[in-house]
Amino acid sequence: MADFTKDMTIGEIISTDPNAVPILMSAGMHCVGCPSAQAETLEEACMVHGIDVDALVFALNKKEA
């Protein structure tokens, strides 16, 4: 499987690996089910929520919350 990147949409991340949801939620991104979040890139969502995108990409790729 390819690594997750900050340019992927939340929808792509979740459809690629549903196990990413708890990692996103634990990072503070509780809107993973929102329709707008499905089209937002991870980088855009992190900016809105004040989350370090690089740390979240690292966690997603390591599969750790």
Side-chain angles (χ1 to χ4, degrees):
M1 178 173 79
D3 286 341
F4 293 110
T5 68
K6 63 184 178 183
D7 299 320
M8 293 177 78
T9 65
I10 302 297
E12 288 174 318
I13 291 169
I14 293 170
S15 67
T16 299
D17 185 359
N19 295 316
V21 172
I23 298 168
L24 294 167
M25 300 269 302
S26 71
M29 200 167 295
H30 301 283
C31 61
V32 293
C34 293
S36 62
Q38 300 306 303
E40 222 173 20
T41 66
L42 185 60
E43 184 171 36
E44 292 167 337
C46 284
M47 272 191 338
V48 169
H49 293 284
I51 298 169
D52 180 344
V53 68
D54 294 319
L56 184 52
V57 168
F58 181 78
L60 286 165
N61 286 319
K62 284 192 57 124
K63 306 291 188 266
E64 294 178 0

